[in-house]
Each structure stands twice: as structure tokens, then as C-alpha cells.
Amino acid sequence: MRLRKPAPGRWRPRAAACVGVMLAVLALAEGRAASAQATQPAAPPPNGAPGAEAFKDWELFCPEPKPKDKPRVCEIRTVIKTKEGGRLGALAVAADPEPGSASDPMIATALLPLGVDLTLAPALKVGEGQAMPLQFRRCMQRGCEAVALLQGDQLSALRAGTIAKVAVGIGGGKTAVFEFSLNGFTGAHDALKKRIGKP
């Protein structure tokens, strides 16, 4: 992890209409995390966990909804770990679960460590493309979650890229940059779309 000064800029809040979808995705993730925390508080679900389908560095989670008349919330996710094996951060992309919704948008969620500067919006960037601001939603014991809607060109960049970087302020005018592998993202994204019946 390297440090650099944050680039100046103003961040705009995301569309309010998508808050319900974001909260549904985050609630699902929190439920999985709470189950894992019963035995190992800081650890994400391991590769090959029940219900997970692996695509190199990414996994697809698409559990049956409870109750079954609720829309299914599916997501793909990758995790970066410390040298000791603890979770350092995670990046997930989830589909809009509303029936009949368009193929776009999908929702990106970055899980970042506690202690980050919540007054500065984090940003997601792939390669030399334009940085996309994320919006902090909440912080819990397992970390702070920041979300954004992904449009078609942003999804295309993720599919074509090799590394996604999330920059976040850590105080003192410094920025930490978390690098997430995109190896397997395209296969996982294709599987996600097939599972939910979106083009």
C-alpha cells in the first residue's frame, strides 16, 4: 500500500433513487459477514465457501432470497489481504435486484479499513481512466463501505482492465491506494449477468 497526496476535486452525492438497492446489497453482505464473525471476526468467506463460485481472483455469490418472494441479490467480489492473512479490503459489484430493471446500472461497493478519513470521498480508478467518486454509506466493525453506480463504460473498463485502484484519505493530507486484481472479473461478471438474466 502506498501513500500519496489526494487530488483536489469536489464529489457529488449519488442518485437518491438507488439508495434502497445499495442498502439491500450492503445488508446482504453484512449478513454473510456476521455469520463468519461467529468464529473469526476479521476474516471474509474463504475461497470455495458454500454458495460461492470462483473465477480466478473473483467469486460469485448468489444465494436464494429469504423469503423466496424477495428479489435475488447477487454479487461478485474480490478480497485483498495482509501478509498475515487478515482482510485489508474488498471490492464488490452487485446487480440491481429490481425485477424488470435495465442491464445498467450495477453497484460497486468498496470495503475499506476503519480509521479512514470520512470527510474525503474515496475514488475508484481503472488504468488511466477517469477516477470515479464513491460515497461512504456506513462504518461497522468490519470496515467502512463506499458505493457508486456503475455505468456501461465503467463496467467495460473493469472488464478490460488488470488492476482497479481505490484511493481513500487517511488524514494528514495523505491518501492510501488499495489495489484490487481484475483477473477473473470478466468471467465472474458474465456469470453474474447469466444468473440474473440480464444482457
Side-chain angles (χ1 to χ4, degrees):
M1 181 172 66
R2 55 190 176 86
L3 303 179
R4 68 183 182 191
K5 291 185 178 180
R10 297 177 59 189
W11 308 116
R12 298 178 180 177
R14 312 311 296 172
C18 300
V19 169
V21 176
M22 293 177 183
L23 292 179
V25 173
L26 298 181
L28 178 67
E30 182 179 13
R32 287 197 301 269
S35 177
Q37 286 173 353
T39 56
Q40 192 174 358
N47 292 337
E53 187 175 352
F55 296 86
K56 298 180 181 178
D57 293 335
W58 285 74
E59 288 185 326
L60 167 66
F61 296 87
C62 201
E64 289 291 337
K66 294 181 180 180
K68 291 189 175 182
D69 60 340
K70 297 293 184 181
R72 173 179 285 186
V73 179
C74 299
E75 74 171 29
I76 55 177
R77 179 173 58 178
T78 188
V79 174
I80 54 176
K81 299 181 180 181
T82 64
K83 293 180 180 180
E84 294 75 24
R87 179 178 56 198
L88 185 60
L91 181 64
V93 172
D96 184 342
E98 293 301 322
S101 60
S103 58
D104 285 331
M106 288 193 176
I107 302 165
T109 302
L111 178 65
L112 304 167
L114 294 174
V116 298
D117 188 348
L118 301 180
T119 66
L120 294 176
L124 171 65
K125 185 176 181 180
V126 179
E128 299 302 318
Q130 185 176 0
M132 176 181 62
L134 305 174
Q135 180 182 4
F136 281 117
R137 295 301 305 169
R138 60 182 179 179
C139 292
M140 301 167 292
Q141 182 179 0
R142 63 195 179 94
C144 295
E145 292 170 329
V147 300
L149 299 178
L150 292 173
Q151 302 302 327
D153 58 338
Q154 295 161 339
L155 280 168
S156 296
L158 288 168
R159 291 173 63 92
T162 57
I163 295 290
K165 299 180 180 180
V166 175
V168 61
I170 56 174
K174 296 180 179 180
T175 299
V177 179
F178 298 87
E179 296 188 350
F180 298 92
S181 168
L182 292 175
N183 187 23
F185 178 88
T186 299
H189 184 231
D190 286 341
L192 170 63
K193 293 190 296 180
K194 183 177 180 180
R195 188 70 63 90
I196 62 176
K198 290 191 177 184

